[in-house]
Amino acid sequence: MTAVQSALPPGADPRVHTRLLARVRAAALSGGTPPAAPRPVIGASWRRLRGSGLDPSRTPDVVPLDGAALERRRAESGLAPLLPLLRERLLPVARDAGQVLVVVDAGCRVLWREGGAEVRRRADRLGFVEGSCWDEDVVGTNAIGTSVVVRAPLQVHAAEHYAEGHQPWTCAAAPLRDPVTGRVLGVVDLSGPASTVHPSTIALVDAVAALAGQELQQAHTRHVERLRTLAAPILARLTGPALVVGVDGCTAAAAGLAAPDRVALPEEVHAGPVWVPALGRCTVEPLPGGWLLRPSGPADDDRPAGLVLDLAGPRPQVQVTGPSGSWTAGLSLRHAEILLALARHPAGRSAAALAADLFGDPTRTVTVRAEVSRLRRTLGSVLLTQPYRVDEDVAVEVRLPTPAARLLPASTAPLVERLRRG
């Protein structure tokens, strides 16, 4: 289980600590000297948001999705099968504590919100309703949005919230991750009036999120087994290399090649010719719950020609283009940092130099090698080693938010500022 930290220091009186946080926030956001330092994760969030121009004195106006759009987001999230478990383990606690149970998707849109009538009315007045957006760069530091940015469980209490109107609240959230890809699917959260804070809430929410991950892993294993059964007669009839993968790219069966455990598929897969980094040019055929990939081997005229690191949207993305078209995949913040460092150093970086770029510590080479290895599963031959670099025949572009953009996405602000300074 992930180590988690309560917003309340051990043994602290909640009322005394809440008053201290109010003084810390007031001084820190006005440029004064606070009586104590905010927690590092909170201080980092405040700095991101001050850099983006979000006004802490104003409670953001969050326009919720309409009913049809909300139902569509619920269906697309893949989180509905987890609701029975989340309700069973957390809803009784929420009702007893005077809090709400909230489940959001990866874009921090509130998909489900349940709890007692009184706390739901208070949440309504805050705009904390189904369909609202609780992303950090929209509403400021909060357990839901900031846990997505830092990809870790987080409790945010009272004046740790960036927006002044959110100070009367306390919340504890943990990401819900795809057990195969590690991608954040959404967040589960317990929120309520600041007086309902308890130091054990964050550990409970994190434990239930871990149970949800185990449930997703079991469902994934069952799906791969069904796909493997379907694939056996198909592969037996084919000549040449082929493999069957699930919609998440996990290999169910293969023939005629040493297939990776997982193939990084384009975000929009379609039947026909598709370039896949780990395999080269492939012919793709749809199967129930997955895809049949038939590699045709690398072709000199189909090598990638361009790579775009896109930091202009709400989340980092990479796009690779070539004669067969383009291929797009989402990136974690760490992988975006790696590509940004390599874009700034086209001649390449050693593991030590890249560790210094990422962490300010050239000794963290083991972490760098592991992260680059994961990134190469996505980019394949586009990313070269010894030294780490993007293939010199691939043109690299970094896209930044336009000057007219109202806010710099909090999730990419540190990367963009680093590039602008460099």
Side-chain angles (χ1 to χ4, degrees), residues 337-339 341-373 383-390:
E337 287 182 312
I338 291 172
L339 281 181
L342 298 181
R344 295 178 62 191
H345 300 280
R349 302 295 272 169
S350 67
L354 198 50
D357 293 334
L358 300 179
F359 309 110
D361 181 358
T363 68
R364 295 185 62 177
T365 56
V366 173
T367 303
V368 163
R369 291 189 180 101
E371 290 292 348
V372 173
S373 178
L383 191 58
L384 306 179
T385 60
Q386 297 182 343
Y388 295 127
R389 64 197 189 280
V390 177

XYZ file of all heavy atoms in Angstrom, residues 337-339 341-373 383-390:
329
model
N 8.616 15.050 -18.857
C 9.862 15.706 -18.436
C 11.065 15.105 -19.157
O 11.988 15.819 -19.552
C 10.045 15.566 -16.932
C 9.123 16.432 -16.106
C 9.402 16.282 -14.630
O 9.507 15.148 -14.144
O 9.506 17.305 -13.945
N 11.069 13.784 -19.321
C 12.180 13.127 -20.019
C 12.255 13.609 -21.463
O 13.330 13.980 -21.970
C 12.029 11.599 -19.959
C 12.242 11.105 -18.519
C 13.019 10.905 -20.908
C 11.918 9.639 -18.321
N 11.113 13.628 -22.150
C 11.111 14.075 -23.542
C 11.487 15.546 -23.654
O 12.162 15.950 -24.605
C 9.744 13.824 -24.176
C 9.455 12.394 -24.622
C 8.076 12.310 -25.247
C 10.520 11.904 -25.601
N 13.551 17.140 -21.663
C 15.005 17.210 -21.496
C 15.724 16.774 -22.767
O 16.712 17.393 -23.182
C 15.436 16.337 -20.316
N 15.232 15.730 -23.428
C 15.871 15.254 -24.655
C 15.642 16.222 -25.813
O 16.495 16.344 -26.697
C 15.358 13.857 -25.005
C 15.666 12.762 -23.970
C 15.141 11.420 -24.443
C 17.158 12.683 -23.683
N 14.498 16.903 -25.806
C 14.265 17.913 -26.842
C 15.244 19.065 -26.700
O 15.683 19.652 -27.700
C 12.824 18.429 -26.754
N 15.615 19.387 -25.487
C 16.554 20.471 -25.248
C 18.002 20.052 -25.495
O 18.880 20.898 -25.622
C 16.397 20.973 -23.815
C 15.051 21.623 -23.526
C 14.948 22.045 -22.077
N 15.956 23.044 -21.740
C 16.228 23.427 -20.487
N 15.570 22.875 -19.477
N 17.153 24.339 -20.257
N 18.253 18.758 -25.543
C 19.608 18.241 -25.748
C 19.576 17.192 -26.865
O 19.670 15.985 -26.599
C 20.144 17.628 -24.455
C 20.214 18.586 -23.305
N 21.234 19.490 -23.156
C 19.365 18.788 -22.267
C 21.025 20.204 -22.050
N 19.899 19.805 -21.499
N 19.417 17.606 -28.115
C 19.260 16.644 -29.209
C 20.450 15.711 -29.380
O 20.297 14.634 -29.954
C 19.055 17.543 -30.435
C 19.570 18.889 -30.036
C 19.325 19.001 -28.570
N 21.642 16.091 -28.918
C 22.804 15.206 -29.040
C 22.735 14.049 -28.059
O 23.487 13.079 -28.207
C 24.096 15.994 -28.824
N 21.836 14.130 -27.085
C 21.657 13.022 -26.163
C 22.130 13.332 -24.761
O 22.869 14.295 -24.531
N 21.656 12.514 -23.809
C 22.015 12.676 -22.414
C 22.375 11.312 -21.833
O 21.721 10.302 -22.113
C 20.847 13.246 -21.597
C 20.340 14.573 -22.070
C 21.370 15.667 -21.926
N 21.330 16.308 -20.603
C 22.259 17.133 -20.174
N 23.314 17.395 -20.940
N 22.139 17.700 -18.986
N 23.414 11.289 -21.010
C 23.731 10.076 -20.263
C 22.692 9.910 -19.165
O 21.924 10.825 -18.852
C 25.121 10.189 -19.642
O 25.130 11.200 -18.641
N 22.680 8.721 -18.521
C 21.742 8.494 -17.429
C 21.986 9.488 -16.298
O 21.042 10.019 -15.697
C 21.862 7.060 -16.924
N 23.260 9.770 -16.007
C 23.573 10.711 -14.936
C 23.115 12.123 -15.288
O 22.556 12.844 -14.447
C 25.070 10.694 -14.645
N 23.351 12.542 -16.531
C 22.944 13.883 -16.946
C 21.420 14.015 -16.924
O 20.880 15.046 -16.510
C 23.481 14.188 -18.336
N 20.736 12.961 -17.359
C 19.282 13.007 -17.356
C 18.752 13.017 -15.922
O 17.755 13.692 -15.623
C 18.725 11.806 -18.127
C 17.271 11.875 -18.602
C 16.975 13.174 -19.338
C 16.956 10.674 -19.484
N 19.410 12.289 -15.013
C 19.011 12.319 -13.598
C 19.184 13.720 -13.028
O 18.350 14.199 -12.245
C 19.844 11.320 -12.803
N 20.253 14.404 -13.430
C 20.449 15.784 -12.985
C 19.362 16.697 -13.554
O 18.863 17.596 -12.859
C 21.836 16.275 -13.393
N 18.965 16.473 -14.814
C 17.904 17.262 -15.424
C 16.584 17.095 -14.674
O 15.853 18.059 -14.446
C 17.688 16.845 -16.886
C 18.867 17.187 -17.783
O 19.600 18.131 -17.450
O 19.048 16.493 -18.800
N 16.269 15.848 -14.316
C 14.960 15.543 -13.747
C 14.890 15.817 -12.258
O 13.880 16.313 -11.754
C 14.596 14.081 -14.008
C 14.517 13.631 -15.465
C 14.160 12.154 -15.542
C 13.501 14.454 -16.238
N 15.951 15.440 -11.539
C 15.901 15.458 -10.081
C 16.919 16.391 -9.431
O 16.912 16.548 -8.212
C 16.134 14.040 -9.530
C 15.267 12.987 -10.148
C 15.805 12.020 -10.988
C 13.911 12.959 -9.906
C 15.009 11.037 -11.561
C 13.100 11.990 -10.475
C 13.646 11.025 -11.310
N 17.820 16.966 -10.248
C 18.907 17.731 -9.659
C 19.896 16.864 -8.927
O 20.676 17.351 -8.100
N 19.893 15.564 -9.228
C 20.743 14.594 -8.529
C 21.267 13.586 -9.543
O 20.531 12.682 -9.959
C 19.942 13.886 -7.438
C 20.766 12.872 -6.653
O 21.961 12.688 -6.978
O 20.203 12.270 -5.714
N 22.530 13.699 -9.980
C 23.056 12.796 -11.013
C 23.232 11.357 -10.559
O 23.521 10.488 -11.382
C 24.406 13.427 -11.372
C 24.795 14.219 -10.173
C 23.508 14.719 -9.580
N 23.041 11.072 -9.273
C 23.211 9.688 -8.798
C 21.955 8.841 -8.992
O 22.024 7.624 -8.830
C 23.602 9.671 -7.304
O 22.495 10.145 -6.514
C 24.819 10.530 -7.053
N 20.847 9.449 -9.348
C 19.586 8.680 -9.442
C 19.437 8.026 -10.813
O 18.415 8.131 -11.481
C 18.395 9.588 -9.130
C 18.398 10.104 -7.697
C 17.167 10.886 -7.353
N 15.944 10.086 -7.460
C 14.725 10.544 -7.154
N 14.589 11.802 -6.730
N 13.670 9.780 -7.286
N 20.474 7.316 -11.216
C 20.481 6.708 -12.546
C 19.573 5.487 -12.639
O 19.039 5.195 -13.714
C 21.905 6.317 -12.944
O 22.454 5.455 -11.937
C 22.799 7.547 -13.081
N 19.399 4.770 -11.539
C 18.534 3.581 -11.579
C 17.102 3.994 -11.912
O 16.432 3.369 -12.757
C 18.590 2.833 -10.231
C 17.561 1.700 -10.210
C 19.986 2.261 -9.994
N 16.627 5.056 -11.264
C 15.274 5.544 -11.549
C 15.154 6.006 -12.992
O 14.162 5.718 -13.675
C 14.923 6.710 -10.607
O 15.048 6.267 -9.248
C 13.514 7.208 -10.851
N 16.179 6.713 -13.490
C 16.144 7.200 -14.867
C 16.072 6.034 -15.848
O 15.269 6.047 -16.792
C 17.380 8.086 -15.145
C 17.591 8.254 -16.655
C 17.215 9.437 -14.493
N 16.913 5.027 -15.649
C 16.908 3.894 -16.586
C 15.559 3.186 -16.593
O 15.076 2.763 -17.658
C 18.027 2.920 -16.217
C 19.434 3.484 -16.467
C 20.501 2.420 -16.288
N 21.830 2.957 -16.529
C 22.686 3.301 -15.574
N 22.353 3.124 -14.293
N 23.867 3.800 -15.875
N 14.946 3.048 -15.423
C 13.631 2.394 -15.367
C 12.576 3.218 -16.094
O 11.750 2.674 -16.848
C 13.227 2.176 -13.910
N 12.594 4.539 -15.897
C 11.590 5.392 -16.542
C 11.785 5.434 -18.055
O 10.816 5.396 -18.820
C 11.646 6.803 -15.959
C 11.154 6.911 -14.524
C 9.665 6.656 -14.387
O 8.958 6.623 -15.404
O 9.201 6.491 -13.252
N 13.027 5.514 -18.514
C 13.273 5.528 -19.952
C 12.860 4.194 -20.574
O 12.312 4.150 -21.682
C 14.742 5.842 -20.260
C 15.027 5.693 -21.753
C 15.096 7.258 -19.820
N 13.102 3.103 -19.852
C 12.682 1.792 -20.361
C 11.172 1.747 -20.554
O 10.670 1.237 -21.570
C 13.129 0.695 -19.390
O 12.694 -0.572 -19.836
N 13.023 6.405 -29.646
C 13.873 6.785 -28.524
C 15.077 5.842 -28.486
O 14.926 4.631 -28.333
C 13.080 6.693 -27.223
C 13.718 7.292 -25.974
C 14.025 8.758 -26.182
C 12.793 7.111 -24.776
N 16.274 6.405 -28.639
C 17.501 5.619 -28.710
C 18.271 5.707 -27.395
O 18.024 6.571 -26.559
C 18.380 6.125 -29.864
C 17.709 6.187 -31.243
C 18.679 6.721 -32.283
C 17.166 4.819 -31.655
N 19.238 4.784 -27.244
C 20.031 4.727 -26.020
C 21.512 4.921 -26.336
O 21.939 4.880 -27.484
C 19.829 3.368 -25.313
O 20.246 2.305 -26.184
C 18.370 3.165 -24.951
N 22.271 5.123 -25.265
C 23.743 5.244 -25.338
C 24.218 6.305 -26.342
O 24.877 5.947 -27.325
C 24.368 3.872 -25.647
C 24.108 2.846 -24.567
C 24.762 1.509 -24.871
O 25.158 1.213 -26.009
N 24.890 0.682 -23.871
N 23.982 7.559 -26.098
C 23.213 8.134 -24.996
C 21.716 8.152 -25.290
O 21.293 7.900 -26.430
C 23.770 9.557 -24.915
C 24.075 9.885 -26.348
C 24.610 8.598 -26.941
N 20.929 8.474 -24.263
C 19.489 8.609 -24.470
C 19.228 9.809 -25.367
O 19.693 10.925 -25.099
C 18.771 8.800 -23.136
C 18.862 7.611 -22.208
C 19.305 7.759 -20.901
C 18.505 6.341 -22.641
C 19.383 6.674 -20.042
C 18.586 5.243 -21.797
C 19.025 5.418 -20.496
O 19.109 4.335 -19.661
N 18.444 9.594 -26.430
C 18.167 10.678 -27.372
C 17.009 10.282 -28.278
O 16.686 9.083 -28.406
C 19.394 10.975 -28.237
C 19.808 9.831 -29.156
C 21.220 9.991 -29.669
N 21.551 9.007 -30.702
C 21.894 7.743 -30.446
N 21.940 7.286 -29.202
N 22.195 6.914 -31.444
N 16.404 11.262 -28.899
C 15.426 11.002 -29.954
C 16.195 10.774 -31.242
O 17.204 11.445 -31.516
C 14.454 12.192 -30.100
C 13.482 11.965 -31.256
C 13.692 12.426 -28.804
